[in-house]
């Protein structure tokens, strides 16, 4: 078993420590004795072959550059079509969708890996702790920190990742805010932290997908279930974050509560 | 009330409030009075700045230290200690500027540290003779602007400020872009250890390529490139030197550590030079300084000799890891995430904590659990002790000096208590 983790364009999509997601996956694989490689992929080179691709947050200008580079490179779409895992955060989440807003106020075409579309929100920037309950019953609460002004609509080809308890997330749907989106092995989220450091169960889900995909592509046997790690430090951090973000204690952080008319709430139970 | 009388009354109110705040022990007394003064007279800063020589210092890292160095450089020519008006407590927004200028002589030379987001306002209000631009990198992204946006704002503001000399770091592309429309610029090769925010070209959104193999050059395909420098920092067996393009040299021998501080001092020497102070004399005066607001000082914390260091973002950490990298003593890392620190400590993942491997490391502060997880994935063995003094006491059990590296409020709290 082996796993290649690729951090996509860290010089463009690395503003909020999201490169840490790649580090978390790589370490958690190696701690289990799985051969794993961590690659930093620069935007002036062809994207390397990988089993898991991590995209992070970025500023408006570099976000447009990264989307253009990924579209012309084409390898991320190719890898996703063959079952590779994509985890995209914030600006990265927006660019793997179908369209997103640039600094110029124009909508730009996304890479189109995930059926989500983002527009610039009318309210203040969504900044603060997020607490969200995943729709996947196998996942515990997600904790993270968001910092964005996008409002993302999840289309019929994808499902929302979680229901927002605290924060804005996708910022759509009155009273029923959702956070992130998922389709097959492609996942997008607004959560920084980095999200996989704060949510090791999510990291292990992606690791499991990555190993399955790698086995399928190489015609190998499917991997055995992942060994349990001692996550005491992650659990202590989670307990603190979940307590500090509980609805009873939070200040007024919810924004974008007013959704544009006709917004879809597909996937919300 | 005439404008002059209104300003005088506002200045008096500023001083009175600040004195009262200090008397009742509710703080260092800089911001409250400044706010009252600005409420009474919105153009107070402009009035207090009129008729005096003002120098500004801004950038993501090194503002407070460079401001203090520049004050030390100018004081001998201005009448000795205390003769230069400055915001020594680091209150670097308009209220802090008002407070700094409301005390002392009306015509005293002023050296002010300016928050990156307030440079444009300060340029208009104070018409400075020199503006020092140190560097720009990510910092507290939950409440400040993205650095590319700041660089653009500096550029327009400096383009409109026709009187100011700009002393700018030629090694930071975002600073070079910011100084690009200024009428008079002195370029200093001040270095740029952390380049993660500098790769995207601010001129064309292409990609900046940095020269490999120890060279300092950088260029984008659009032609935007490192300017010819006026002064650089060189090191040889005999020490550190400021070397000017015309061949002049001056020794840089500081009482505060770090390559980054040598660069800060050369930036300050160049700024002092514009006001007529000999750069060599300026650097000698700066050499007397041994700590800046507690930074780099060694304190006794619960019986443990502790060197206090401040690092609040990835670029600052990059420089400090260079500084402490060769030591072997224990390290206490203290992380808070209050408003002044930035509420989001995700930036810990942009710091190469791997470099602390092999040391005794203690994670502390209000966000010690975030730090502990980061250290786990850096495979740096550590203890986690939430209370900072207790953390120092435990780190001190291994003997020798402890390096305490805190972000803003974590550092300030330990300094205040010890």
């Amino acid at each position: 078993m082996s796993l290649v983790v690729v951090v996509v364009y860290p010089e463009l999509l690395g503003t909020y420590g999201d490169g840490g997601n790649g580090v978390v996956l790589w370490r958690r694989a190696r701690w289990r004795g799985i051969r794993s490689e961590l690659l930093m992929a620069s935007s002036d080179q062809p994207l390397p072959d990988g089993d898991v691709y991590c995209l992070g947050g970025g500023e408006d200008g570099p976000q447009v550059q990264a989307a253009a580079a990924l579209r012309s490179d084409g390898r991320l779409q190719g890898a996703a079509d063959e079952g590779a895992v994509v985890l995209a955060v914030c600006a990265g989440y927006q660019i793997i969708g179908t369209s997103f807003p640039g600094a110029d106020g124009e909508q730009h075409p996304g890479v189109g890996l995930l059926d989500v579309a983002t527009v610039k929100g009318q309210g203040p920037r969504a900044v603060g702790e997020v607490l969200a309950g995943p729709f996947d019953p196998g996942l515990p609460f997600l904790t993270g920190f968001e910092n964005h002004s996008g409002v993302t609509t999840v289309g019929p080809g994808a499902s929302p990742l979680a229901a927002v308890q605290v924060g804005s997330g996708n910022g759509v749907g009155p009273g029923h805010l959702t956070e992130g989106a998922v389709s097959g092995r492609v996942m997008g989220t607004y959560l920084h932290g980095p999200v996989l450091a704060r949510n090791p169960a999510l990291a292990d889900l992606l690791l499991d997908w990555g190993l399955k995909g790698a086995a399928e592509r190489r015609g190998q046997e499917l991997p055995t279930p992942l060994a349990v790690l001692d996550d005491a430090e992650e659990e202590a951090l989670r307990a603190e974050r979940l307590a500090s973000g509980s609805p009873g204690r939070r200040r007024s952080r919810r924004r974008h509560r007013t959704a544009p008319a006709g917004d879809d709430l597909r996937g919300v139970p | 009330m005439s404008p002059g009388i209104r300003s005088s009354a506002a200045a008096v109110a500023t001083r009175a409030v600040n004195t009262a705040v200090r008397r009742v022990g509710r703080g260092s007394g800089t911001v409250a009075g400044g706010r009252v003064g600005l409420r009474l007279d919105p153009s107070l800063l402009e009035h207090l700045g009129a008729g005096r020589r003002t120098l500004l210092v801004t950038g993501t890292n090194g503002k407070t230290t460079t401001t203090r160095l520049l004050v030390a450089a100018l004081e001998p020519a201005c009448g000795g200690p205390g003769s230069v008006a400055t915001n020594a407590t680091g209150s670097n927004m308009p209220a802090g500027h008002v407070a700094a200028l409301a005390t002392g002589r009306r015509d005293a030379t002023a050296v002010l540290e300016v928050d990156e987001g307030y440079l444009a306002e300060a340029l208009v209000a104070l018409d400075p003779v020199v503006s020092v631009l140190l560097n720009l990198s990510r910092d507290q992204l939950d409440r400040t602007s993205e650095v590319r946006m700041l660089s653009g704002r500096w550029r327009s503001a400096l383009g409109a400020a026709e009187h100011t000399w700009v002393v700018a770091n030629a090694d930071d592309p975002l600073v070079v872009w910011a100084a690009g429309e200024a009428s008079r610029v002195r370029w200093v090769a001040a270095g740029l250890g952390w380049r993660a925010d500098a790769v995207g070209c601010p001129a064309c959104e292409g990609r900046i390529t940095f020269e490999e193999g120890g060279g300092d050059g950088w260029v984008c395909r659009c032609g935007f490139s490192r300017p010819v420098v006026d002064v650089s920092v060189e090191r040889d067996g005999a020490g550190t030197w400021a070397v000017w393009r015309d061949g002049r040299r001056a020794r840089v021998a500081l009482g505060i550590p770090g390559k980054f501080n040598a660069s800060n001092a050369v930036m300050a020497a160049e700024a002092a030079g514009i006001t007529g102070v000999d750069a060599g004399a300026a650097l000698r005066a700066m050499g007397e300084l041994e700590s800046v607001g507690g930074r780099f000082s060694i304190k006794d914390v619960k019986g443990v000799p502790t060197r206090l260091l401040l690092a609040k973002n990835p670029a600052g950490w990059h420089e400090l890891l260079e500084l402490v990298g060769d030591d072997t003593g224990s390290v206490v890392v203290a992380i808070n995430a209050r408003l002044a620190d930035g509420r989001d400590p995700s930036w810990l993942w942009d710091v190469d904590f791997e470099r602390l491997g092999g040391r005794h490391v203690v994670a502390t502060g209000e966000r010690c659990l975030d730090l502990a997880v980061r250290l786990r994935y850096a495979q740096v063995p550590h203890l986690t002790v939430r209370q900072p003094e207790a953390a120092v006491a435990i780190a001190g059990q291994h003997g020798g000096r402890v390096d305490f590296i805190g972000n803003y409020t974590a550092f300030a709290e330990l300094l205040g208590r010890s």
Side-chain angles (χ1 to χ4, degrees):
Chain A
M1 265 193 312
S2 71
L3 188 83
V4 178
V5 179
V6 180
V7 175
V8 179
Y9 305 166
E11 77 281 13
L12 298 176
L13 298 174
T15 304
Y16 299 88
D18 297 316
N21 290 323
V23 174
V24 169
L25 290 170
W26 171 64
R27 288 284 194 216
R28 294 182 76 80
R30 288 171 74 107
W31 287 339
R32 292 171 162 117
I34 299 163
R35 258 189 314 127
S36 176
E37 215 183 328
L38 179 64
L39 303 178
M40 298 289 153
S42 167
S43 63
D44 59 355
Q45 302 288 326
L47 204 62
D49 287 336
D51 302 306
V52 183
Y53 292 85
C54 298
L55 290 75
E59 300 185 2
D60 294 346
Q63 179 187 21
V64 173
Q65 287 174 262
L70 285 172
R71 282 163 53 85
S72 73
D73 179 84
R75 286 174 181 78
L76 188 65
Q77 297 94 311
D81 288 345
E82 290 181 14
V85 177
V86 178
L87 170 69
V89 178
C90 199
Y93 172 36
Q94 296 179 354
I95 64 177
I96 66 164
T98 51
S99 79
F100 67 93
D104 48 11
E106 303 285 311
Q107 285 295 118
H108 292 257
V111 184
L113 294 183
L114 198 57
D115 186 11
V116 298
T118 304
V119 295
K120 192 166 167 46
Q122 300 305 306
R125 201 173 167 88
V127 183
E129 292 282 332
V130 179
L131 186 59
F135 297 120
D136 177 343
L139 283 175
F141 262 103
L142 300 178
T143 159
F145 194 98
E146 65 181 336
N147 187 351
H148 64 96
S149 55
V151 170
T152 299
T153 304
V154 181
S159 309
L161 177 63
V164 170
Q165 305 287 311
V166 176
S168 294
N170 292 328
V172 286
H176 287 90
L177 293 111
T178 67
E179 154 45 35
V182 61
S183 170
R185 291 180 183 147
V186 177
M187 185 182 287
T189 175
Y190 275 113
L191 303 187
H192 303 289
V195 63
L196 299 187
R198 283 208 198 179
N199 302 282
L202 186 64
D204 285 350
L205 177 67
L206 298 183
L207 209 49
D208 186 56
W209 289 356
L211 290 167
K212 281 183 178 143
E216 288 161 14
R217 280 190 298 286
R218 289 162 205 161
Q220 297 164 341
E221 272 183 49
L222 286 184
T224 50
L226 292 171
V228 175
L229 296 176
D230 175 6
D231 288 333
E233 293 193 300
E234 289 90 334
E235 288 308 324
L237 171 61
R238 286 178 59 74
E240 182 182 83
R241 290 296 96 214
L242 295 182
S244 76
S246 65
R249 286 193 52 187
R250 76 192 170 81
R251 278 163 307 213
S252 172
R253 275 259 167 75
R254 281 196 193 183
R255 283 146 193 182
H256 306 315
R257 292 301 306 248
T258 326
D263 256 328
D264 204 333
L265 285 175
R266 239 181 314 267
V268 177
Chain B
M1 209 162 31
S2 82
I5 293 171
R6 173 183 282 264
S7 289
S8 303
V12 168
T14 300
R15 287 192 295 271
V17 171
N18 284 341
T19 306
V21 168
R22 280 191 291 267
R23 286 233 174 99
V24 299
R26 293 293 295 274
S28 54
T30 46
V31 175
R35 285 198 186 129
V36 169
L38 281 169
R39 179 74 65 84
L40 293 173
D41 177 8
S43 58
L44 181 56
L45 192 54
E46 215 168 328
H47 291 297
L48 290 171
R52 73 164 90 216
R53 185 173 60 179
T54 301
L55 298 87
L56 305 180
V57 177
T58 192
T60 306
N61 286 312
K63 289 186 288 289
T64 304
T65 299
T66 307
T67 297
R68 188 68 195 85
L69 288 166
L70 186 49
V71 167
L74 297 181
E75 271 175 350
C78 292
S83 58
V84 173
T86 186
N87 46 345
T89 59
S91 304
N92 59 15
M93 298 185 193
H97 299 153
V98 162
L101 300 183
T103 45
R105 289 168 53 115
R106 288 282 288 116
D107 61 350
T109 293
V111 179
L112 297 176
E113 125 173 31
V114 181
D115 179 89
E116 303 90 286
Y118 284 90
L119 179 64
E121 287 89 333
L123 284 168
V124 169
L126 297 168
D127 194 19
V129 59
V130 180
S131 303
V132 179
L133 313 183
L134 299 168
N135 49 61
L136 268 177
S137 68
R138 65 188 68 171
D139 186 28
Q140 298 180 34
L141 290 167
D142 62 310
R143 67 178 189 131
T144 63
S145 300
E146 296 175 337
V147 287
R148 236 150 284 276
M149 206 187 295
L150 277 177
S151 173
R153 274 197 238 144
W154 283 11
R155 184 178 168 92
S156 347
L158 289 163
E162 41 193 81
H163 299 130
T164 197
W165 270 97
V166 175
V167 175
N169 182 356
D171 291 324
D172 187 337
L174 289 174
V175 164
V176 173
W177 177 249
E181 286 183 354
S183 49
R184 300 181 290 186
V185 186
R186 302 282 296 170
W187 298 107
V188 182
L192 186 72
W194 163 266
R195 286 175 174 170
D197 291 309
V199 175
C201 176
C204 75
E205 302 211 327
R207 197 187 158 81
I208 287 177
T209 316
F210 289 88
E211 197 177 316
E212 308 257 337
D216 297 318
W218 52 262
V219 65
C220 176
R221 57 162 188 247
C222 72
F224 181 58
S225 63
R226 184 178 189 251
V228 175
V229 302
D230 297 294
V231 53
S232 53
V233 189
E234 293 181 9
R235 288 170 183 85
D236 61 22
T240 303
W241 307 86
V243 180
W244 278 266
R245 192 146 51 122
D246 61 12
R248 281 180 300 135
R249 291 164 72 83
R251 180 183 288 277
V252 185
L254 299 179
I256 54 176
K259 281 185 184 176
F260 54 97
N261 278 331
S263 294
N264 289 339
V266 174
M267 298 282 281
E270 190 62 14
I274 290 167
T275 72
V277 173
D278 172 68
L283 284 162
R284 281 194 296 281
M286 292 184 238
E288 303 293 314
L289 202 64
E290 289 184 336
S291 78
V292 177
R295 296 164 181 80
F296 320 110
S297 65
I298 295 178
K299 297 265 174 191
D300 182 293
V301 180
K302 297 208 159 183
V304 178
T306 307
R307 179 164 64 164
L308 303 185
L309 300 165
L310 172 67
K312 47 190 182 177
N313 53 43
W317 262 99
H318 183 93
E319 301 298 345
L320 271 195
L321 283 170
E322 288 273 315
L323 174 66
V324 306
D326 297 331
D327 294 350
T328 53
S330 302
V331 183
V332 175
V333 180
I335 301 298
N336 288 350
R338 298 187 198 167
L339 183 66
D341 302 304
R343 299 272 189 203
D344 176 14
S346 299
W347 59 269
L348 292 172
W349 290 78
D350 288 327
V351 178
D352 264 340
F353 285 110
E354 285 80 356
R355 292 186 60 177
L356 293 177
R359 313 274 291 269
H360 293 287
V361 177
V362 183
T364 187
E366 291 158 4
R367 297 303 289 268
C368 58
L369 299 179
D370 296 78
L371 177 62
V373 170
R374 171 68 189 100
L375 292 171
R376 162 167 153 84
Y377 284 91
Q379 304 208 117
V380 173
H382 57 275
L383 294 172
T384 305
V385 180
R386 188 171 293 266
Q387 209 283 326
E389 280 136 311
V392 172
I394 285 169
Q397 288 171 359
H398 299 285
R401 187 185 74 192
V402 168
D403 276 333
F404 176 96
I405 313 179
N407 66 342
Y408 193 74
T409 66
F411 168 88
E413 263 192 11
L414 192 79
L415 181 69
R417 283 201 215 128
S418 55

